[in-house]
C-alpha cells in the first residue's frame, strides 16, 4: 500500500521516485544495539551455491521471480538442512554445466556439505517455488518443486536419497510458470494434498520487450494473461488427482506469487492465501471438505487499506499480537508498503500497516521473502523482509532505488507496533544483494531462529542469530498418527504463565519457500511451559502439560507426554 | 558550474547509445530526446543567467530522467536564489516521500505552505506523510484544513474517511466517504472504504451494495490500466516528457516578453506530443493575444478533441468564437464548459458577458453573473455582475458591484476607470 489510487486510477504519488542509503560494514558493530543481531556467516558455512536466473539479456519475465528455498531436516538427524532452488538457461543462454538445485546437509557447527548428487535432488528445471511435506506418510520429508516447465515431486527414500516420482504421482502440472506451492490436507482425510500456484501465461513467443526511459526493462506482468492455480487431491496411494475445477480453485485466474495455508477462521480446516502480483489477492476459504470459495474481497484481504491492489510477492502468517488469531503479512512492489492484515476474528481482516509501523522502510523497495519470527525470544513475532529490485538496471532510470539493496528487520515492540531496527541488527542486515526467498529455522539448535536468504544471481546469505538474549524458548515438532505425519495444518497453543502463544504447522510459505516445520516459541523470562494444546487437522485435541523450556520436543498425536528430541 | 554539471549529465544520458544496430533506433532516439531536454535547459541558463527558473527547469529535467539526486541539487540551488518557490519545495517533498522519508517531505511541504498558506493539496500531502509516520493525531487537523481550502476535494474527504476508519470511528468515516462520493461519484477507493466501514458496523446489506459498486468501478479501472499498459510506448513517453520541458521553458520566454520564442517552443512541444492539451491551449492563448483568432480557435478545438471533458478547451472555443462574432458557437461552448464544471464560475461569467456584449438576454446574463459571483466572489465576477445589473437597469446595484471589484483589485485600471465613469454619469 502507499497512496490511494496511485496505480489504478493514475492519482500519482508525485513526479519522481526514490533512493537508498547504504552503510559501511565497518560501522556495523558500533551500531549493534537493537537486541536482535543477525550475523552474516555465509563464508564460514562452506556453502558455494550461486543462483542463476538463466538470463542472457533478453529479459524474459520469469527471470525476475526466481527463486525460493527450503529449510527442512531431510535426513532426520536433528539438524535443519538447506535446499536452494536454481534457475536454468533460458532460450538464447549458453552455459557449460547446467545449473541445478542444491541440497546442503547441515553437519552442525555452521558447516554444510553439498549432498545434491548423492541425494538425487539436483533438478535442472527452472526453479521457482518449493514445498516440503510427507505426502506418503512414511515418516520422511518429500519435496515438491514448482518450476517454469514441468514440476517435480521427489519422494524421500528415508536413506538420504530421493526418487523423482512426478510421473507416477501425476503432479507435473503441465508446462506452467510456477510460483509458491503448499502441501495441505484439504479434506481432513489424513494425507497431504497439494496446492500449486501459477504465475502467468508465458512462452517464448509471447515474450514482450519493453523499455523505460530508453533502457530495456522486464515487462510488467500485466502484459501476460493471468492463469488459475492447480489443486491436486492425494489419492492415498502415491498418486494425485487434479481437482482444480471441482474444488472451485480453478475458476479464478490470477498472477499467483507467494502462498501460505492456514486456518484463518478457526473452523478447523485449512484455508489458502494467494498473493497475486498486480491484482487482488485471493483467499480460498475451505468448507472442510476440500471445496473452496474465494472470499478475499469480503474478508478484506484482497486489497490494501485504500482498496488498491498490490504487486504482492510473498505471504506469511503468524499471530503477531498474541490474540490467538492468524494474521497475514504480504510483501509487494516498489512504491507500495508491505501490508499487515490483522485478523479481527469474525472472518474479517484489517490492514493495520499504518497504525502498527509494519510497512516501515519498505516503500522504496521491491520486497519478497518475509516471515513472522520471534528473533529475540521475547514472546512476540518480529518481521523480516527480503528486498531487491527486479530490474537489474533500475538505477539508470530511477536513482531512488537500486537493484542491490539491504533487507529489512522490523522488531515487534510488544504493544502491537513495529520499529525498523535494520541499521542496528548486525552485519547480516547490511548485505546488499537482490534477495528473493527467505527462510527461517534454528540451524544450530541453540534456541534462536536463524535465517537463509536466496539472492538472485548471487550467493545466498546465511544469517546466524547472535542476539544477546538469554530468554527462554521451546521448539515443537509434531508427529501425526492418524492425521498427516508432520502435523501440517495442526494448531499449537502454548501457555507459559501469563503468556499464550499460537502457531500452525505450514508447508510452503513466504516467497515461494518452505521452512519452520519445527514450531518455535519465544517465552521471555518464563522457564516453564504450563500447557501445550495441539488441535490436529480433523479436530482431535491433545494436551501436554508441564513441559520444561529451552528444549526441542516432539508431540505425538494421541499422546500426553512431550518427548525431548 | 551548473552548465558543467549539465554537460556531465549529458554524457551520462548519451552513453551506451552509440550502437549502429537499427533495432536500437528507439534507444538512440530516446537518448537524443533526453539530450535535447538538457540542451534546452542549458540554453535557458545562458539566456537568463539572472533567473532561478532555468535552474528549476534543469532540476525538473533531471527528475524526469530519474536522476533525482541531481534534481534536488538544482532545486536547492534555485531555492538559494529565490526561497519563495513553493513548487520546488513540493517537488523535493515528493522525492522524499517516494523514499519513505516522510519527515523530510513534511518539512518541505511546510515550507511550501509558509510561502502559500492557501495552496490546495499541500495539507492533504502532509496528512498522507503523517499517516505513514503513524502520527494519527495530527492527520485529521491537516485534512480539515485541506477541506477548508478546497471544499471540493474528494480526495481530502476520502483520506479523512481513511483516518477515521483507522481510529475505528466508523460513523465519521462513513460520512466522509459519502461526501467524497458526492463530490466524485466514481470514487472507487471511497466505495471500498464504505464497504469496509459498513462491514465493521455490521450493516451487511449496505456493505454488499457498496462492494458491488466497488467491484464494478475496480473492473473499469483495471480495464483502463490494461489498455494503458498495452498501449504503452516508451519512446512516446519520453517525447511527452520532453514536451513538458518545452512547455515549462516557453513560460519563461512569455514571462520575459518574448512570445515569438515561446510560440516556437510550444510548436516543438506540440510536435513531440500532439495530444498535450496544455501545449495546445497555451499556444492558443498566445495566438489569441496576438489577435490570430482563427488559429487560436482551431487549436482550442483540437485540444477539445483530445480532451472532450476539459472545460478550459470549451471556454477557449467560446472566447475565440465570441471574438469572431460567432454567437451560437460561443454560446454552445460556454454552456458545455458549465456542464463540465458546474462549480467553476468561469463558464457562467463568460456566457453572461457574451449575452451582454451581444445585447441579448439581459435577465439571463444577470442570473449567470450572480451565479458566477456566488461560486467565486472575485473582482472579475463583481465587474461582470455590475455590467449585467447596469444593462438590466439596476444602476445602484451596478455601482455597488463595481465598487466591490475596485476594492478587491485596486490596481485594476479598467475597473477603476469604469467605476469613475459610471459615477460621473450618475
Amino acid at each position: 500500500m502507499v497512496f490511494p489510487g496511485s496505480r489504478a486510477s493514475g492519482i500519482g504519488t508525485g513526479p519522481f521516485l526514490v533512493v537508498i542509503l547504504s552503510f559501511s560494514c565497518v560501522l556495523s558493530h558500533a551500531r549493534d544495539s537493537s537486541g536482535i543481531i543477525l550475523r552474516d556467516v555465509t563464508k564460514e558455512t562452506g556453502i558455494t551455491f550461486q543462483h542463476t536466473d538463466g538470463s542472457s539479456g533478453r529479459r524474459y519475465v520469469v527471470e525476475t521471480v526466481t527463486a525460493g528455498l527450503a529449510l527442512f531436516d531431510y535426513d532426520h538427524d536433528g539438524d535443519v538442512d538447506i535446499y536452494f532452488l536454481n534457475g536454468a538457461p533460458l532460450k538464447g543462454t549458453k552455459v557449460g554445466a547446467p545449473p541445478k538445485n542444491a541440497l546442503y546437509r547441515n553437519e552442525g557447527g555452521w558447516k554444510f556439505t553439498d549432498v545434491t548428487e548423492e541425494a538425487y535432488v539436483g533438478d535442472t528445471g527452472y526453479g521457482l517455488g518449493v514445498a516440503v511435506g510427507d505426502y506418503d506418510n512414511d515418516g520422511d520429508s518429500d519435496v515438491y518443486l514448482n518450476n517454469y516447465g514441468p514440476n517435480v515431486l521427489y519422494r524421500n527414500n528415508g536413506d538420504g536419497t530421493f526418487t523423482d516420482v512426478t510421473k507416477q504421482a501425476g503432479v507435473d502440472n503441465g508446462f506452467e510458470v510456477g510460483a509458491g506451492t503448499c502441501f495441505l490436507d484439504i479434506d481432513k482425510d489424513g494425507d497431504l494434498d497439494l496446492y500449486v500456484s501459477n504465475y502467468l501465461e508465458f512462452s517464448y513467443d509471447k515474450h514482450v520487450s519493453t523499455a523505460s526511459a530508453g533502457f530495456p526493462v522486464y515487462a510488467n506482468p500485466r502484459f501476460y494473461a493471468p492463469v488459475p492455480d492447480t489443486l491436486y487431491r492425494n489419492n492415498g496411494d502415491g498418486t494425485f488427482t487434479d481437482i482444480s475445477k471441482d474444488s472451485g480453485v480453478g475458476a479464478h485466474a490470477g498472477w499467483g506469487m507467494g502462498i501460505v495455508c492456514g486456518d484463518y477462521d478457526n473452523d478447523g480446516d485449512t484455508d489458502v492465501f494467494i498473493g497475486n502480483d498486480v491484482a487482488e489477492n485471493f483467499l480460498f476459504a475451505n468448507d472442510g471438505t476440500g471445496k473452496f470459495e474465494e472470499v478475499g474481497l469480503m474478508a478484506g484481504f484482497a486489497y490494501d487499506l485504500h482498496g488498491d491492489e498490490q504487486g504482492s510477492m510473498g505471504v506469511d502468517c503468524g499471530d503477531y499480537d498474541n490474540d490467538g488469531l492468524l494474521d497475514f503479512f504480504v510483501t509487494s512492489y516498489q512504491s507500495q508498503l508491505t501490508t499487515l492484515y490483522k485478523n479481527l476474528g469474525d472472518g474479517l481482516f484489517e490492514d493495520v500497516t499504518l497504525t502498527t509501523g509494519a510497512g516501515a522502510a519498505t516503500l522504496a523497495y521491491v520486497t519478497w521473502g518475509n516471515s513472522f519470527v520471534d528473533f529475540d525470544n521475547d514472546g512476540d513475532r518480529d518481521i523480516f523482509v527480503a528486498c531487491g529490485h527486479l530490474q537489474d538496471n533500475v538505477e539508470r532510470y530511477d536513482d531512488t532505488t537500486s537493484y542491490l539493496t539491504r533487507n529489512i528487520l522490523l522488531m515487534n515492540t510488544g504493544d502491537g507496533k513495529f520499529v525498523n531496527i535494520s541499521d542496528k541488527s548486525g552485519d547480516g542486515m547490511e548485505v546488499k544483494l537482490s534477495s528473493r526467498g527467505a527462510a527461517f529455522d534454528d540451524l544450530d539448535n541453540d534456541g534462536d531462529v536463524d535465517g537463509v536468504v536466496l539472492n538472485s544471481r548471487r550467493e545466498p546469505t546465511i544469517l546466524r542469530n547472535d542476539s544477546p538474549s538469554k530468554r527462554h524458548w521451546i521448539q515443537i515438532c509434531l508427529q501425526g498418527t492418524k492425521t498427516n505425519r508432520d502435523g501440517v495444518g495442526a494448531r499449537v497453543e502454548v501457555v507459559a504463565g501469563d503468556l499464550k502463544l499460537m502457531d500452525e504447522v505450514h508447508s510452503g510459505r513466504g516467497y515461494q519457500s518452505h521452512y519452520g516445520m519445527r514450531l518455535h516459541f519465544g517465552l521471555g523470562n518464563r522457564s516453564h511451559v504450563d500447557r501445550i494444546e495441539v488441535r490436529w487437522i480433523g479436530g482431535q485435541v491433545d494436551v501436554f502439560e508441564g513441559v520444561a523450556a529451552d528444549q526441542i520436543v516432539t508431540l505425538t498425536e494421541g499422546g500426553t507426554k512431550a518427548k525431548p528430541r | 558550474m551548473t552548465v558543467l554539471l549539465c554537460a556531465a549529465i549529458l554524457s551520462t544520458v548519451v552513453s551506451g547509445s552509440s550502437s549502429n544496430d537499427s533495432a536500437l533506433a528507439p534507444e538512440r532516439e530516446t537518448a537524443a530526446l533526453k539530450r535535447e531536454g538538457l540542451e534546452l535547459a542549458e540554453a535557458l541558463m545562458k539566456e537568463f543567467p539572472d533567473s532561478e527558473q532555468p535552474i528549476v527547469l534543469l532540476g525538473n529535467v533531471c527528475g524526469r530522467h530519474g536522476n533525482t539526486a541531481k534534481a534536488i541539487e538544482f532545486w536547492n540551488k534555485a531555492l538559494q536564489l529565490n526561497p519563495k518557490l513553493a513548487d520546488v519545495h513540493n517537488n523535493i517533498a515528493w522525492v522524499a516521500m517516494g523514499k519513505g522519508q516522510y519527515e523530510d517531505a513534511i518539512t518541505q511541504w511546510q515550507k511550501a505552505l509558509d510561502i502559500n498558506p492557501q495552496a490546495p493539496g499541500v495539507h492533504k500531502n502532509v496528512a498522507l506523510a503523517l499517516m505513514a509516520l503513524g502520527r494519527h493525531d495530527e492527520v485529521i487537523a491537516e485534512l480539515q484544513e485541506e477541506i477548508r481550502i478546497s471544499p471540493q476535494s474528494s480526495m481530502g474527504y476520502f483520506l479523512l474517511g481513511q483516518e477515521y476508519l483507522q481510529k475505528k470511528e466508523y460513523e465519521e468515516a462513513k460520512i466522509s466517504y459519502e461526501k467524497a462520493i458526492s463530490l466524485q461519484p466514481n470514487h472507487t477507493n471511497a466505495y471500498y472504504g464504505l464497504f469496509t466501514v459498513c462491514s465493521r458496523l455490521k450493516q451487511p446489506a449496505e456493505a454488499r451494495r457498496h462492494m458491488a459498486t466497488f467491484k464494478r468501478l475496480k473492473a473499469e479501472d483495471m480495464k483502463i490500466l490494461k489498455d494503458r499498459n498495452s498501449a504503452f510506448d516508451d519512446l512516446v513517453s519520453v517525447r511527452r516528457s520532453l514536451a513538458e520541458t518545452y512547455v515549462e521553458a516557453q513560460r519563461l520566454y512569455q514571462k520575459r516578453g518574448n512570445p515569438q520564442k515561446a510560440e516556437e517552443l510550444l510548436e516543438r512541444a506540440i510536435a513531440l506530443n500532439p495530444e498535450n492539451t496544455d501545449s495546445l491551449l497555451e499556444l492558443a492563448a498566445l495566438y489569441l493575444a496576438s489577435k490570430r483568432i482563427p488559429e487560436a480557435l482551431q487549436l482550442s478545438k483540437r485540444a477539445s478533441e483530445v480532451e472532450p471533458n476539459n472545460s478550459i478547451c470549451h471556454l477557449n472555443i467560446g472566447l475565440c468564437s465570441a471574438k469572431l462574432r460567432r454567437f451560437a458557437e460561443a454560446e454552445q461552448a460556454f454552456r458545455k464548459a458549465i456542464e463540465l464544471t458546474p462549480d467553476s464560475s468561469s463558464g457562467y461569467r463568460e456566457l453572461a458577458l457574451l449575452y451582454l456584449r451581444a445585447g441579448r438576454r439581459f435577465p439571463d446574463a444577470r442570473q449567470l453573473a450572480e451565479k458566477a459571483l456566488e461560486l467565486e466572489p472575485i473582482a472579475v465576477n463583481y465587474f461582470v455582475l455590475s455590467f449585467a445589473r447596469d444593462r438590466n437597469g439596476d444602476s445602484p446595484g451596478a455601482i455597488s458591484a463595481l465598487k466591490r471589484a475596485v476594492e478587491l483589485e485596486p490596481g485594476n485600471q479598467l475597473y477603476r476607470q469604469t467605476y469613475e465613469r459610471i459615477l460621473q454619469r450618475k
Side-chain angles (χ1 to χ4, degrees):
Chain A
M1 159 182 52
V2 52
F3 308 117
S6 60
R7 300 179 79 195
S9 54
I11 303 165
T13 57
F16 313 110
L17 292 173
V18 206
V19 186
I20 286 168
L21 299 173
S22 63
F23 295 89
S24 150
C25 291
V26 181
L27 297 174
S28 66
H29 296 273
R31 289 196 305 270
D32 288 347
S33 58
S34 72
I36 300 177
I37 303 298
L38 300 176
R39 294 278 179 226
D40 177 7
V41 296
T42 313
K43 288 191 176 119
E44 302 165 25
T45 59
I47 291 172
T48 57
F49 174 78
Q50 290 279 327
H51 176 261
T52 170
D53 60 6
S55 59
S56 65
R58 285 168 177 77
R59 297 178 192 277
Y60 297 120
V61 67
V62 294
E63 296 165 15
T64 61
V65 290
T66 169
L69 73 154
L71 300 184
F72 70 110
D73 184 3
Y74 87 98
D75 53 359
H76 268 236
D77 66 350
D79 294 318
V80 175
D81 310 297
I82 309 175
Y83 186 61
F84 295 107
L85 267 57
N86 212 342
L90 295 169
K91 190 176 170 184
T93 303
K94 291 185 177 65
V95 291
K100 54 189 159 195
N101 298 348
L103 177 63
Y104 282 89
R105 186 174 61 217
N106 188 341
E107 308 290 9
W110 290 97
K111 297 296 174 201
F112 291 80
T113 305
D114 186 341
V115 294
T116 312
E117 294 304 317
E118 65 196 68
Y120 302 106
V121 287
D123 182 47
T124 54
Y126 198 96
L128 293 166
V130 58
V132 176
D134 186 0
Y135 82 96
D136 52 1
N137 282 332
D138 66 350
D140 49 40
S141 300
D142 311 299
V143 179
Y144 185 73
L145 304 176
N146 194 2
N147 290 338
Y148 164 45
N151 292 349
V152 175
L153 177 61
Y154 284 125
R155 189 185 64 213
N156 192 328
N157 300 320
D159 58 0
T161 69
F162 291 79
T163 303
D164 181 344
V165 294
T166 316
K167 209 167 187 178
Q168 304 91 293
V171 290
D172 74 355
N173 198 34
F175 204 101
E176 301 285 345
V177 179
T181 181
C182 290
F183 283 106
L184 73 161
D185 183 358
I186 58 169
D187 46 9
K188 306 178 194 170
D189 65 351
D191 55 34
L192 289 174
D193 310 293
L194 180 60
Y195 192 100
V196 183
S197 187
N198 298 314
Y199 185 32
L200 43 69
E201 200 176 291
F202 169 80
S203 55
Y204 290 117
D205 58 316
K206 289 181 178 148
H207 170 60
V208 175
S209 293
T210 185
S212 182
F215 297 101
V217 293
Y218 290 95
N220 184 313
R222 282 200 182 93
F223 279 107
Y224 305 93
V227 285
D229 295 337
T230 309
L231 180 60
Y232 292 106
R233 189 184 59 221
N234 191 331
N235 300 322
D237 58 0
T239 67
F240 290 78
T241 302
D242 184 342
I243 57 160
S244 312
K245 202 173 167 189
D246 291 346
S247 64
V249 163
H252 302 270
W255 288 272
M257 291 289 276
I259 163 175
V260 70
C261 299
D263 182 7
Y264 81 103
D265 51 1
N266 275 350
D267 65 352
D269 56 42
T270 306
D271 311 294
V272 183
F273 292 74
I274 311 290
N276 278 313
D277 202 352
V278 299
E280 75 274 21
N281 300 320
F282 292 153
L283 193 179
F284 288 110
N286 191 343
D287 73 352
T289 69
K291 302 268 194 240
F292 292 86
E293 184 187 359
E294 203 291 292
V295 298
L297 175 57
M298 193 55 109
F301 177 75
Y303 298 96
D304 73 357
L305 172 72
H306 303 307
D308 287 330
E309 61 285 350
Q310 306 287 289
S312 298
M313 302 296 189
V315 190
D316 191 31
C317 61
D319 181 9
Y320 84 92
D321 52 357
N322 292 341
D323 65 353
L325 300 163
L326 282 179
D327 310 296
F328 288 76
F329 187 75
V330 185
T331 50
S332 54
Y333 199 65
Q334 181 191 2
S335 299
Q336 300 168 350
L337 295 176
T338 51
T339 312
L340 175 59
Y341 294 97
K342 177 181 162 59
N343 192 333
L344 299 177
D346 55 359
L348 298 178
F349 289 92
E350 179 183 4
D351 176 350
V352 293
T353 311
L354 295 177
T355 51
T356 59
T362 62
L363 188 69
Y365 308 103
V366 183
T367 53
W368 303 85
N370 61 319
S371 192
F372 288 108
V373 180
D374 184 358
F375 286 108
D376 50 359
N377 284 338
D378 64 349
D380 52 46
R381 292 171 191 278
D382 313 296
I383 295 176
F384 184 96
V385 182
C387 306
H389 215 283
L390 56 82
Q391 304 290 358
D392 54 6
N393 57 352
V394 65
E395 297 92 333
R396 299 195 73 186
Y397 58 89
D398 176 7
D399 70 353
T400 62
T401 188
S402 59
Y403 176 63
L404 305 179
T405 66
R406 295 170 61 194
N407 296 323
I408 294 168
L409 184 56
L410 304 174
M411 187 177 73
N412 191 328
T413 56
D415 58 354
K417 300 261 178 8
F418 293 88
V419 291
N420 176 19
I421 56 163
S422 311
D423 289 347
K424 301 182 253 181
S425 298
D427 59 4
M429 295 308 298
E430 294 182 349
V431 175
K432 284 177 70 178
L433 291 169
S434 195
S435 301
R436 296 295 185 268
F440 302 89
D441 262 308
D442 184 359
L443 294 175
D444 52 0
N445 292 333
D446 68 346
D448 55 34
V449 180
D450 311 293
V452 182
V453 182
L454 186 141
N455 300 306
S456 180
R457 302 179 183 176
R458 291 288 294 271
E459 72 280 7
T461 307
I462 314 297
L463 298 168
R464 188 180 67 208
N465 190 338
D466 281 357
S467 303
S469 151
K470 298 292 175 216
R471 296 183 183 116
H472 299 286
W473 53 277
I474 190 163
Q475 290 176 12
I476 296 171
C477 304
L478 295 186
Q479 191 169 307
T481 51
K482 287 176 278 184
T483 64
N484 72 84
R485 187 68 178 245
D486 292 330
V488 172
R491 175 167 294 203
V492 176
E493 192 179 278
V494 171
V495 180
D498 58 337
L499 185 68
K500 196 168 169 183
L501 303 169
M502 182 274 284
D503 204 356
E504 279 185 14
V505 179
H506 308 287
S507 158
R509 65 200 295 190
Y511 183 70
Q512 304 184 355
S513 294
H514 173 95
Y515 55 91
M517 295 277 274
R518 187 202 288 175
L519 301 179
H520 175 95
F521 298 91
L523 300 173
N525 57 6
R526 299 156 192 89
S527 59
H528 183 82
V529 174
D530 300 309
R531 186 174 192 274
I532 304 173
E533 182 180 303
V534 183
R535 188 191 71 193
W536 305 87
I537 281 288
Q540 178 174 322
V541 174
D542 294 328
V543 175
F544 303 81
E545 290 182 321
V547 182
D550 305 325
Q551 61 169 337
I552 303 168
V553 296
T554 299
L555 308 181
T556 304
E557 188 175 11
T560 54
K561 288 265 183 221
K563 276 194 297 191
R565 182 142 185 193
Chain B
M1 179 60 186
T2 310
V3 172
L4 284 177
L5 276 172
C6 197
I9 297 162
L10 202 62
S11 66
T12 319
V13 165
V14 298
S15 66
S17 61
S18 57
S19 169
N20 289 323
D21 184 348
S22 62
L24 293 179
E27 289 175 30
R28 282 206 302 277
E29 187 179 343
T30 301
L33 291 168
K34 287 181 177 177
R35 191 169 51 228
E36 188 179 334
L38 288 166
E39 283 168 355
L40 175 61
E42 198 176 356
L44 283 171
M45 285 201 295
K46 280 181 187 156
E47 193 156 351
F48 305 107
D50 57 329
S51 169
E52 76 284 351
Q53 281 306 322
I55 304 172
V56 174
L57 188 133
L58 182 54
N60 294 351
V61 172
C62 291
R64 288 188 192 113
H65 292 179
N67 190 349
T68 61
K70 274 278 168 273
I72 287 176
E73 222 173 273
F74 289 125
W75 288 331
N76 279 327
K77 194 171 169 159
L79 284 169
Q80 281 168 13
L81 294 172
N82 179 3
K84 297 285 180 192
L85 301 170
D87 287 350
V88 171
H89 285 296
N90 186 48
N91 284 351
I92 298 173
W94 276 118
V95 172
M97 196 73 175
K99 293 178 191 172
Q101 295 169 352
Y102 308 116
E103 285 99 343
D104 294 347
I106 291 170
T107 303
Q108 292 296 329
W109 277 318
Q110 292 297 359
K111 286 179 182 172
L113 283 171
D114 289 345
I115 296 163
N116 180 7
Q118 300 303 311
V122 184
H123 285 285
K124 178 201 72 189
N125 297 340
V126 172
L128 273 171
L130 289 169
M131 232 187 243
L133 282 169
R135 285 162 57 182
H136 295 277
D137 291 342
E138 300 161 69
V139 173
I140 287 180
E142 289 294 335
L143 289 171
Q144 283 169 339
E145 192 56 14
E146 176 69 32
I147 288 164
R148 189 191 60 74
I149 292 167
S150 309
Q152 305 302 311
S153 170
S154 62
M155 184 55 89
Y157 280 105
F158 168 69
L159 291 175
L160 197 56
Q162 294 298 81
E163 190 52 35
Y164 283 127
L165 175 69
Q166 291 178 92
K167 284 175 173 285
K168 303 193 188 309
E169 294 175 28
Y170 299 133
E171 293 294 352
E172 288 295 327
K174 195 174 173 185
I175 291 166
S176 301
Y177 295 136
E178 283 168 348
K179 182 69 183 171
I181 288 167
S182 75
L183 293 166
Q184 190 186 326
N186 286 343
H187 200 307
T188 311
N189 302 94
Y191 275 105
Y192 185 77
L194 268 184
F195 152 65
T196 305
V197 88
C198 290
S199 299
R200 303 275 162 78
L201 286 166
K202 307 292 176 204
Q203 298 168 343
E206 213 177 331
R208 271 197 300 276
R209 188 159 53 81
H210 294 309
M211 186 179 82
T213 310
F214 168 75
K215 279 171 88 168
R216 177 177 59 77
L217 293 172
K218 178 60 80 176
E220 288 170 16
D221 290 348
M222 295 303 278
K223 167 84 172 54
I224 291 166
L225 206 55
K226 192 179 169 197
D227 292 347
R228 198 189 299 164
N229 198 49
S230 309
F232 177 76
D233 181 327
D234 183 54
L235 190 53
V236 170
S237 163
V238 174
R239 283 186 194 131
R240 284 179 180 162
S241 166
L242 179 58
E244 279 178 50
T245 304
Y246 273 100
V247 173
E248 285 173 14
Q250 65 81 28
R251 283 183 192 139
L252 190 54
Y253 283 104
Q254 280 203 51
K255 261 190 202 164
R256 297 296 180 108
N258 188 348
Q260 290 80 14
K261 186 69 180 173
E263 227 180 279
E264 188 188 307
L265 298 188
L266 276 171
E267 277 161 6
R268 174 67 180 141
I270 291 167
L272 285 163
N273 182 7
E275 297 195 339
N276 184 337
T277 46
D278 281 353
S279 321
L280 292 166
L281 291 175
E282 294 231 23
L283 188 55
L286 281 179
Y287 286 157
L288 199 59
S290 57
K291 314 274 189 237
R292 283 175 285 171
I293 315 298
E295 290 93 327
L297 179 61
Q298 193 194 4
L299 279 180
S300 303
K301 282 184 174 173
R302 206 170 131 188
S304 80
E305 282 162 18
V306 175
E307 237 183 293
N309 291 330
N310 184 339
S311 66
I312 297 168
C313 302
H314 298 283
L315 268 178
N316 271 13
I317 293 171
L319 290 169
C320 295
S321 302
K323 284 198 182 298
L324 292 169
R325 299 186 186 288
R326 296 178 188 169
F327 180 85
E329 204 175 330
E331 185 183 32
Q332 190 188 7
F334 290 139
R335 288 208 176 278
K336 183 72 184 170
I338 291 169
E339 182 193 319
L340 289 170
T341 48
D343 296 327
S344 162
S345 70
S346 315
Y348 301 98
R349 180 180 65 240
E350 296 304 332
L351 186 55
L353 262 179
L354 177 74
Y355 290 153
L356 294 168
R357 284 178 177 148
R360 302 181 194 183
R361 301 176 66 168
F362 291 151
D364 289 343
R366 179 174 182 158
Q367 220 174 348
L368 287 161
E370 279 166 353
K371 178 71 181 173
L373 189 70
E374 182 193 318
L375 289 167
E376 275 182 285
I378 54 176
V380 65
N381 287 343
Y382 276 105
F383 181 73
V384 174
L385 180 62
S386 158
F387 192 2
R389 282 175 176 169
D390 187 59
R391 286 290 181 271
N392 281 284
D394 176 9
S395 292
I399 291 167
S400 74
L402 199 46
K403 186 173 175 233
R404 186 74 187 122
V406 171
E407 283 166 4
L408 287 170
E409 270 186 38
N412 189 312
Q413 290 306 308
L414 174 66
Y415 301 165
R416 186 164 291 281
Q417 284 162 8
T418 312
Y419 184 55
E420 282 162 5
R421 251 198 332 266
I422 207 166
L423 284 178
Q424 280 166 8
R425 195 180 68 186
K426 190 181 163 193

